[in-house]
Amino acid sequence: MSESHIDPDREAWEIFRSLPRDRPIHMLNLVRLRPRAEYPEDHPDHGKELTGLDAYRAYGRTTADIFKRVGGRQVWAGRPEVMVTGPQSEAWDIAFIAEYPTSAAFLEMVRDPEYRELVKHRTAGVADSRLLRLGPITPGGGFGE
């Protein structure tokens, strides 16, 4: 299995921040969950034998108000069933697309002090993930328009 990715690296953040911040963006999320959540010892949920799904649900539930406050909304969600094209090792448990009114709104969310504390649920529950920023295009308008 390839290297695990849970949080963005510095280079990815630099590229993200260099892109226009004043237009809507979509964020494609692919998530593989841990069988058991791995909370740090100082976290209240440490040792509770929660599943990765339990932890990820806690992340969604506790950060929902922050997500809405910055103008985020989920535009699509699905349960991946089979990797038709690509390596079978790239199997995911959850896939969804979140929309933000601007990339600045996304940055506001991830910098929020309360969010930074609550994201520990995501870190505890996720074994691997992909997060891809997408610039919406008009359907039928062709690529790059």
Side-chain angles (χ1 to χ4, degrees), residues 40-78:
E41 288 185 17
D42 63 344
H43 193 278
D45 289 326
H46 176 75
K48 289 188 178 179
E49 297 301 316
L50 299 173
T51 66
L53 181 58
D54 293 333
Y56 201 79
R57 284 180 175 157
Y59 164 68
R61 186 178 59 254
T62 61
T63 61
D65 288 341
I66 300 167
F67 179 62
K68 288 178 188 170
R69 178 173 39 81
V70 301
R73 70 184 187 99
Q74 191 174 80
V75 296
W76 179 88

Side-chain angles (χ1 to χ4, degrees), residues 43-130:
H43 193 278
D45 289 326
H46 176 75
K48 289 188 178 179
E49 297 301 316
L50 299 173
T51 66
L53 181 58
D54 293 333
Y56 201 79
R57 284 180 175 157
Y59 164 68
R61 186 178 59 254
T62 61
T63 61
D65 288 341
I66 300 167
F67 179 62
K68 288 178 188 170
R69 178 173 39 81
V70 301
R73 70 184 187 99
Q74 191 174 80
V75 296
W76 179 88
R79 182 179 305 110
E81 295 178 336
V82 63
M83 182 68 71
V84 177
T85 302
Q88 292 302 309
S89 62
E90 290 266 328
W92 304 102
D93 297 311
I94 301 168
F96 66 94
I97 298 173
E99 178 183 72
Y100 296 86
T102 62
S103 66
F106 176 80
L107 290 169
E108 177 185 341
M109 180 183 75
V110 299
R111 290 178 178 152
D112 181 282
E114 183 181 6
Y115 178 88
R116 293 173 73 89
E117 184 63 29
L118 297 170
V119 78
K120 292 177 182 177
H121 291 294
R122 182 186 184 283
T123 304
V126 172
D128 196 7
S129 66
R130 302 292 182 270

